Amino acid sequence: MSLLRSSSELMAKHMSSYPPKRYNLSWNLADCSFDDVNLLATLTCGQTFRWRRQADGAWLGSIGIQAAVLWQPEDCRDHFFWQTFPVENDWAIIRDYFNLGINLRALQRGWHDAEQLTADVFIQHVGLRLLQQPLEECLYSFQCASCNTVTKIERSVEELARLYGSPIETPWGRVSLFPATSSIATASEEVLRKALWGYRAPRLIALAKLMQEKGDAWLQGLVGMPYADAHRNLTDLPGIGPKLADCVCLFCLRKWEAIPVDTHVLQLAQRLWPTQNEYRSLTPRVYLQIADSYRHRYGVYAGWAQQILFYSELHRTRPGWIPCQPAI
DNA sequence: GCTTAACCTGGACGC
DNA sequence: GCGTCCAGGTTAAGC
């Protein structure tokens, strides 16, 4: 259970680690004493691409039609500070975005008991939470992930927002909201190709045009569907395969059993559980077997566990890797 | 049902 | 400085 607090008493409690001052900005405090939140791990684990850490440690980004700034003291996992723009103090958007109703500590105790091999990973990356992202942003952003690197995905998505998104002013500077479907549908393929989207540019525009035809209700309808139905509807879209469909299911549709199987997740499963077959390539059958191996071990919230393991694997295979470079 | 090639491009790496 | 390889996938053709 996480609580919104803004009382002077709580502020005073945390004065030793008070966030940076900016003009007349008034911070709010999210006190999560009963659970864990790790902003660094949560915002850089590969589930979202547009949060940037500023020189003073504040995270600047957007959630839907709001810009937001977040700040958390070093090595602190029980509270963070936040503010939203242009509508200030929008607690609901922060609470929902971080899924603060999910008791992560309880989940981690369950995973610890279920699979001793990975118990240390969950302790090491405590507080990595899955986000509930806006549907359109998640759907279009992950179209860029095909045969790409995390660094380039971040730059590509940022360019898309800068070119076609609405700007919001904050004390840290301008933040571009993620573009609406209508803006992407009418975007220039040539411009997008130069904005690092390459051969993915026509796919992105085609998908946006199709989503315009289907209407907002179609996408929102996925929220109420069971995981299998939502996944099947998504893979029927052009340019959306099983992996991207699972990303959308997990990162914005709250289908916690979804397991996006990529090369890292495949290698991790083969290393952790060597009894698994030595797969040569990620065929649909192998994809399902690997995903089921995670679901079998970690249960209905397997997607949360998988993302923490994925984050750990990124750090293991890329020592010194620093995602989300600070803005200059 | 599996394998393979094509699709872009920037960064890492070896020389 | 230059060449080569690789990266969070999807799709279609060939077997």
Side-chain angles (χ1 to χ4, degrees), chain A residues 47-103:
Chain A
Q47 61 178 322
T48 180
F49 303 109
R50 295 194 54 234
W51 288 94
R52 297 289 179 273
R53 189 152 58 169
Q54 311 299 297
D56 56 14
W59 291 93
L60 190 59
S62 69
I63 306 172
I65 58 171
Q66 288 272 62
V69 61
L70 314 165
W71 186 83
Q72 187 170 43
E74 287 289 325
D75 301 323
C76 170
R77 300 290 172 265
D78 66 0
H79 69 278
F80 66 91
F81 295 84
W82 61 274
Q83 187 51 280
T84 54
F85 313 93
V87 179
E88 294 189 354
N89 309 320
D90 190 346
W91 167 239
I93 207 169
I94 298 291
R95 178 197 60 207
D96 294 346
Y97 187 68
F98 283 95
N99 280 309
L100 292 178
I102 302 287
N103 188 333

Side-chain angles (χ1 to χ4, degrees), chain A residues 38-53 59-64 66 68 70 97-99 128-145 149-158 161 175-178 243 247-248 250-252 260 306-307 310-311 314 321-325:
Chain A
N38 180 343
L39 286 189
L40 174 65
T42 298
L43 300 178
T44 65
C45 71
Q47 61 178 322
T48 180
F49 303 109
R50 295 194 54 234
W51 288 94
R52 297 289 179 273
R53 189 152 58 169
W59 291 93
L60 190 59
S62 69
I63 306 172
Q66 288 272 62
L70 314 165
Y97 187 68
F98 283 95
N99 280 309
L128 192 165
R129 307 187 70 87
L130 285 193
L131 301 170
Q132 187 181 349
Q133 301 178 53
L135 270 166
E136 290 84 354
E137 178 167 351
C138 191
L139 181 66
Y140 298 130
S141 294
F142 274 96
Q143 265 225 324
C144 189
T149 61
V150 173
T151 306
K152 265 187 66 186
I153 298 168
E154 288 172 357
R155 291 179 58 189
S156 304
V157 176
E158 188 59 39
V175 173
S176 296
L177 300 182
F178 193 84
K243 195 266 182 175
C247 287
V248 176
L250 186 61
F251 300 143
C252 47
Q306 173 273 150
Q307 193 61 28
F310 171 81
Y311 182 64
L314 274 186
W321 176 62
I322 306 173
C324 294
Q325 297 294 329

Side-chain angles (χ1 to χ4, degrees), chain A residues 93-126:
Chain A
I93 207 169
I94 298 291
R95 178 197 60 207
D96 294 346
Y97 187 68
F98 283 95
N99 280 309
L100 292 178
I102 302 287
N103 188 333
L104 182 54
R105 284 187 193 173
L107 293 180
Q108 292 190 322
R109 281 194 293 273
W111 300 330
H112 183 279
D113 295 342
E115 179 54 273
Q116 295 290 317
L117 271 176
T118 54
D120 288 348
V121 173
F122 297 122
I123 294 171
Q124 188 181 355
H125 300 295
V126 66

Side-chain angles (χ1 to χ4, degrees), chain A residues 93-325:
Chain A
I93 207 169
I94 298 291
R95 178 197 60 207
D96 294 346
Y97 187 68
F98 283 95
N99 280 309
L100 292 178
I102 302 287
N103 188 333
L104 182 54
R105 284 187 193 173
L107 293 180
Q108 292 190 322
R109 281 194 293 273
W111 300 330
H112 183 279
D113 295 342
E115 179 54 273
Q116 295 290 317
L117 271 176
T118 54
D120 288 348
V121 173
F122 297 122
I123 294 171
Q124 188 181 355
H125 300 295
V126 66
L128 192 165
R129 307 187 70 87
L130 285 193
L131 301 170
Q132 187 181 349
Q133 301 178 53
L135 270 166
E136 290 84 354
E137 178 167 351
C138 191
L139 181 66
Y140 298 130
S141 294
F142 274 96
Q143 265 225 324
C144 189
S146 168
C147 216
N148 216 340
T149 61
V150 173
T151 306
K152 265 187 66 186
I153 298 168
E154 288 172 357
R155 291 179 58 189
S156 304
V157 176
E158 188 59 39
E159 272 298 283
L160 176 68
R162 188 185 65 79
L163 288 165
Y164 297 103
S166 302
I168 301 285
E169 294 297 337
T170 80
W172 276 261
R174 181 172 292 183
V175 173
S176 296
L177 300 182
F178 193 84
T181 291
S182 56
S183 299
I184 299 174
T186 54
S188 159
E189 180 181 326
E190 187 182 355
V191 170
L192 281 180
R193 279 182 179 272
K194 288 177 181 171
L196 297 179
W197 280 78
Y199 66 93
R200 306 167 192 91
R203 292 182 185 177
L204 177 73
I205 295 170
L207 179 62
K209 285 179 176 172
L210 180 62
M211 297 315 297
Q212 257 191 328
E213 291 172 16
K214 286 180 173 291
D216 291 343
W218 184 87
L219 208 49
Q220 290 300 325
L222 300 175
V223 177
M225 288 183 190
Y227 161 62
D229 292 343
H231 191 268
R232 188 171 56 252
N233 273 275
L234 285 164
T235 51
D236 283 344
L237 297 172
I240 304 293
K243 195 266 182 175
L244 266 57
D246 271 323
C247 287
V248 176
C249 282
L250 186 61
F251 300 143
C252 47
L253 295 178
R254 295 168 64 94
K255 313 299 180 195
W256 306 135
E257 67 269 52
I259 307 289
V261 181
D262 55 32
T263 52
H264 295 289
V265 175
L266 173 66
Q267 289 166 15
L268 182 65
Q270 290 181 321
R271 200 179 76 249
L272 285 175
W273 309 302
T275 53
Q276 302 250 340
N277 298 326
E278 192 65 35
Y279 300 115
R280 290 182 61 191
S281 60
L282 200 54
T283 63
R285 186 174 57 85
V286 172
Y287 187 99
L288 190 60
Q289 286 178 353
I290 294 294
D292 282 343
S293 72
Y294 281 86
R295 284 189 277 265
H296 173 71
R297 287 174 172 82
Y298 301 107
V300 293
Y301 284 83
W304 284 66
Q306 173 273 150
Q307 193 61 28
I308 297 168
L309 294 170
F310 171 81
Y311 182 64
S312 169
E313 185 71 358
L314 274 186
H315 279 275
R316 191 190 69 81
T317 56
R318 304 175 193 179
W321 176 62
I322 306 173
C324 294
Q325 297 294 329

